[in-house]
Amino acid sequence: MRLFSGDGCPGTNYSNYGVASSGAATLEYDNQVSTFHATVTREYTGVFKIWGEGAAADGVANLLSPTEINAMNFPGLTGRVLKAAVGGNTTPGQTVVLTTDGLFIWGNVGSVVNAAIAPGTAVQDITVDGNSTGLPAGVAPTQVKMMYVGPQMIAITTCDGNAYVLNNNASPNLRGDGGTGNTTWAHVQESTAGNPFLTGVVAVRGSLGRLMALKSDNTVWTWGTSVYPGGGGAAAQATRAVQMVLPAGEAGNPIKMIGANVASHYVLYENGHLYTLGFNNLRQLGDWGNTTTARLNWVQPRYTSAAGPVMNDILWISPNEHIGNNAAINVINGAYQVYSWGSNSGLMIGRPVDGTSYDPGIPAGISPTVFSVETGGHTSMLTKACSQNFGYVGHRTFGSMGNGEESDVNESSYTFATADVQICGATTVPQIFTGGSGTTGALGQYCNGSSLTLSGLPTGGTWAVVSGAATITGNRLTFTGAGAGAVTISYTATTTECGSSVATETFQVGDCKMNSVSGTIWNDANGNANLDGAEAGIDNGLWVNLVAPDGTVAGSAKIANDGTYTIAILQENTVAGNYSIIITNGQKPLGTTLASADAPNADYGYTGTSVGGVPNAGNRTGIISIGAMSGAITAVDFGISNDPAVLPVKFGFVAAEILNNQLLVKWNTTSETNNRYFEIEASVDGTNFISIGKVDSKATNGISADALEYEFTKDASAGVVAAGIALLAVGAGLFKTRRTRYAMAAVALGIIVFAAGCNKNRRDVLPEGKVYVRVAQVDKDGTKSYSKAVAVVKR
C-alpha cells in the first residue's frame, strides 16, 4: 500500500481516534462515518474510501466494495481530500467531501443540504452565500477542524474555535443564530446578553433538529428543537446556544467526547465516566429505567440492571448521529468490549430481536479486543484486534458490507466476511506501506532496477522477500530481476493482542527504460563536505525530490535507514533541461512546485554537497543541480550535521506573529561562525519564499560561541501582504483550479494571507497555505543556510 501524500495519517493528529484517543481538542470523531447502508472511512494512509448505497459518483449507483475517493473514481472532484462524511434523514443519504478546493456533494437530493444548493445527484461543487468553496465567508478549506454531517445539516468547527451551521431542516432553531433560512451558513451565537458568537469550540456533534458544542473551557452548549439543558430543565426550543448544566460531581474533570441521538445527549469524561440526558423512548439512555420518561438530570448507563454498576470505564462512544431516527449507541469500555443499547431496528446493535429496544448488553458475535466502533442507520461496524476485515452487524443491503455483493439480509451476529479496511488510529493487523510512488512502466508494473522505501505498522518488525527477484536492505526494497514477474514481500510484527503476525504485499514487476539518480545523505562529522569512509549515512526523516526543468516534482522518495536513496524516472517521461534534487522533511506530491529545501529535522543543518566524489562546502542550500537526466547518475550526496562546531550558524528557536498589523519575527542562534547577516523570508505555501528584510549578525567578526537574540519587524498591512499577494498570483498556483473566482476575491481582500489556521496544539497557528517565515543565514562569502520554516501566529 502506498503512503498518502498530503494531509492524513500517519504523522498527524488524525490518528487520535478510537480506544487509544485522548484530549478533546484534537480528538477525531469521523475516521469512520456510517449512515443508512453507506460508509466512508479515513484509512491509516490518509486515503478516504467509501462504499454502499448511492455512494457512486452519479449519486444513484451502489458501490459494493471500498472505493478510494479521488478524481478518477469521482469525476468532477478536484483538490486534495481533507474530510469526508455521509449523512441524511432518509435512505439513501448524501456524501459530503471537503477538499482543498471546497465542498463537494453527491447522492439523494435534500438529504443533507437544500436542493437549491445541490440540485443534482452526481458529484457537484456548491456555492453558498456567493462563496464558490461552499464554506462560510472568510473560512478556507484548510481552516475546517471538524465537519459533522447529519440529517439535513452540515456543522463545521473552525480551527480558531467558531461554529457554523448549514441547515436544511424545516425548523430554523438549528441555525443557532436566531435567524431563518436553509440555504445560507449561520454563525452560531450564544443565548447570553448581546448574543456573542460561540467561540473556543473544539467539537460540534448533533442529531435531527439539535446540535451540541464542546468548548475549550470544558463547557457544553446546545441549540435546536427539543434540547435538554440539564439541571432539571424540560425540553425547550433554543434558537441560540444555551449552556448546559453538566453532571454534578464532575467539576474540574475534562470532557473527552460529546454526542446526540434523536433528542438525547451524551457526555464522556476523560476519566471514563459516561452520562446521558433527555429523551429515552427507545432506552437510548441505558439507565434501565422507565423507557417513556425523559431524564431531566444526567444519569449514568449501567451494565447489568437498574442497580448494576455504572459505566465509569468507557473509552469511546458512538451514538447513531448521522441519521434522524433509530436512537441507539455503541460504546467500548476499558476491557475493550463493546456494549450496545437502544433501537435494534434491522438488528443494528446485534441484539436478539429485530425492532426491539434494549438495555445495555454485549452484542452477538463479538469479544475483546475492539479498537473502534461506529453506529449507522441500520448497522454497527467495528475494528477488532487481529482481524484484517471490519466487523458488521445489522441490515446488509446495496453493498453496505463492502464484500462485493448486495444481497438484502439482516446480519444477527457480527460477521467479518467484509473487506480489509484499516482505519486511521485503529489498525488491527500489521500493515505495509511504501514511501513515494515508486517507478512504474507503461503497463503500471514496477520497474526492475528501481527501489521503494518500506514502512510498516506497528513499527519494529522485520522484512523479508517471500518470492521473486528482489532484495531488502534495511527498509529499502530493490527489484533485481529481468523481464515480467512478481515480487512478494512480508512484514512480521509482534503485538500484545495478536502475538507475531505477518502482512504480505505483492508487486508486479517488469523491464523499463530508466534514467535514475542516487546518492547518500551522510552525517558530515567534520563539516568539510567530503564523504569519507569514517562517516555514516543518516536518514534523519528526510525525503529527496527529483524536480523537473519546469520546477515541479517528478519523483519523491524517503531516505532509507542507511542514508541512501534512488529516484528513477522512465526515459519516455524525461524531458530536456536541467533537473535538480531538493531535500524536504516530507513527501511532495507529483506536480507540486518546489523551489527550496526544508531545514533538516532535529537541529541539523546542511554542511555541503559531494557530487561524484567532489566536495562543495559552499553549497548548503539542500539543492543539487544534476543537469540532464540521462542513464544512471550516481554519488549525488548531501552532508548534514547538528554539531555547532561545524555549522556556520546553529539556530535555536524561530517564532513569528502578527500583532497590531505588525509582523514580528524572533529567533536566536546558539553559535555562529563566519556569519555576515540574516535574510527574513516569507511564503504563503511553505515552499516558495521571497526576502522581506535583512538583519546584521550581532557576532563579533561573525563568530560567537554564545546564544544571541534577534528580532525583525515589518508592517503587515502593507509590505507582507503585498509580498503574499505576489506569491499567490505567480508562485502558489492557486488560480489553476475551478476555484479561480474565490482565490482572486480572496487576494483582493487580503484574506488568504492572514486568515486563521489550524494546528493540533494551538488554534491560532496558521497552517500550510497561509503565511510561513524562515530565516536565511548568509556567510561572508555569500553562502546561505536556513532555519526551519514556522507558521505565523495571528494575535
Side-chain angles (χ1 to χ4, degrees), residues 148-173:
Y148 164 71
V149 176
Q152 298 184 326
M153 75 179 88
I154 303 174
I156 65 170
T157 306
T158 62
C159 302
D160 59 359
N162 286 277
Y164 298 85
V165 178
L166 182 61
N167 172 34
N168 189 34
N169 190 281
S171 169
N173 299 327

Side-chain angles (χ1 to χ4, degrees), residues 57 70-79 104 123-125 738:
N70 56 33
M72 179 178 295
N73 296 326
F74 295 87
L77 195 69
T78 66
F104 294 79
V123 174
Q124 59 205 288
D125 63 303
R738 68 172 179 88

Side-chain angles (χ1 to χ4, degrees), residues 309-327:
V310 296
M311 292 191 176
N312 276 345
D313 63 343
I314 303 303
L315 302 175
W316 184 259
I317 65 172
S318 178
N320 190 12
E321 60 186 352
H322 299 287
I323 68 164
N325 56 12
N326 297 339

